[in-house]
Amino acid sequence: MCSQFESAPAPKIAKSFPSISRYPEESRAFSTHIYPFSKAPVIVKKSGENEIELMNYSLIPSWSKTPKPKFSTYNARLDRIGSNNQIELIHNSPTWKVPFKRQHCIVPLAGFYESCRNGSHSGNIVKFSAIDPDEVLLAAGIWDKWIDSSTGEIIYSFSIITDEPTKFILDVGHDRQPVFMSLENSEVWLNNENSEPSELYNFLKNNQKPVDYKVNNFKKLKGFEKNDLFS
């Protein structure tokens, strides 16, 4: 889910998040169409102030031996059904546990892309965006810092947190969506580093912002068959 998205342009990010106090020039140059492992702007709390940083899209756990884990890390599900049919929560996963506890970010989106294998847009990759063209969607995210043990290279990376879809997105044809929040709750997420993981989980579950979407076909799914399951 949400393997690619459109980042909001720099001026809109600054306007949508007035408390940003630092926006370095080097963080203003980025491609707005974001794929895994490409750089995208995220809002983070540093020394008590909100600022923009460019980070790699696909979180690299600090303990990973390589900068590209063998599993997908661009999205972090709040919860999922595990192999034993038990619910697995985000804060119990080794990959997400530490970042979810204290390394929070906000990802400003102009839109996001999803594969639809069912629903009204089956057979297509579609773009979801707000009906209001000036609205920037604020998605909850987590980040991590990875250090190459041989060269000392440091890579900052992030993941977008996802949850169950609204009825609209499900009817269009996808089974997950980013966790979007209001400006006020986005500020809370950035500042909330001392709560218990269960409290953070409940905060995201109970404070998601409804979005009025428009949807457009982006391109056809390759090799699509009607009996495919959700991607």
Side-chain angles (χ1 to χ4, degrees), residues 77-108:
R77 292 194 189 195
L78 268 179
D79 49 49
R80 62 187 301 165
I81 302 298
S83 55
N84 58 358
N85 288 324
Q86 298 295 312
I87 296 178
E88 298 177 354
L89 303 180
I90 187 172
H91 50 276
N92 293 329
S93 164
T95 302
W96 316 124
K97 185 176 182 179
V98 172
F100 187 77
K101 172 67 176 175
R102 60 174 181 265
Q103 292 161 197
H104 303 165
C105 65
I106 294 295
V107 187

Side-chain angles (χ1 to χ4, degrees), residues 125-230:
I125 296 175
V126 302
K127 178 185 176 183
F128 292 96
S129 54
I131 290 177
D132 180 354
D134 293 323
E135 182 176 358
V136 174
L137 303 175
L138 302 174
I142 51 179
W143 62 271
D144 210 345
K145 174 182 177 181
W146 181 83
I147 303 176
D148 190 315
S149 59
S150 60
T151 67
E153 178 189 13
I154 297 175
I155 299 177
Y156 290 92
S157 58
F158 73 97
S159 173
I160 293 174
I161 298 175
T162 64
D163 199 11
E164 298 298 315
T166 62
K167 183 179 184 300
F168 178 83
I169 288 181
L170 189 63
D171 287 347
V172 170
H174 202 71
D175 63 341
R176 282 177 284 160
Q177 69 174 57
V179 171
F180 291 122
M181 293 189 295
S182 66
L183 176 60
E184 179 182 3
N185 284 324
S186 295
E187 294 273 13
V188 173
W189 177 244
L190 289 178
N191 284 285
N192 209 337
E193 299 177 351
N194 298 311
S195 298
E196 291 298 317
S198 59
E199 294 174 346
L200 295 172
Y201 172 86
N202 289 331
F203 172 75
L204 293 183
K205 273 289 188 182
N206 297 322
N207 289 282
Q208 297 182 33
K209 178 186 176 181
V211 177
D212 291 325
Y213 292 107
K214 64 178 179 180
V215 58
N216 298 101
N217 286 338
F218 176 55
K219 61 181 179 181
K220 292 290 185 181
L221 276 174
K222 292 182 180 180
F224 170 74
E225 295 181 6
K226 284 290 186 181
N227 61 354
D228 279 353
L229 298 175
F230 283 116

Side-chain angles (χ1 to χ4, degrees), residues 1-3 74-75 77 80 113-118 124-125 173-176 221 224 228-231:
M1 129 77 206
C2 200
S3 61
Y74 47 81
N75 293 158
R77 292 194 189 195
R80 62 187 301 165
Y113 299 85
E114 300 292 9
S115 300
C116 296
R117 299 185 181 278
N118 288 285
N124 294 282
I125 296 175
H174 202 71
D175 63 341
R176 282 177 284 160
L221 276 174
F224 170 74
D228 279 353
L229 298 175
F230 283 116
S231 61

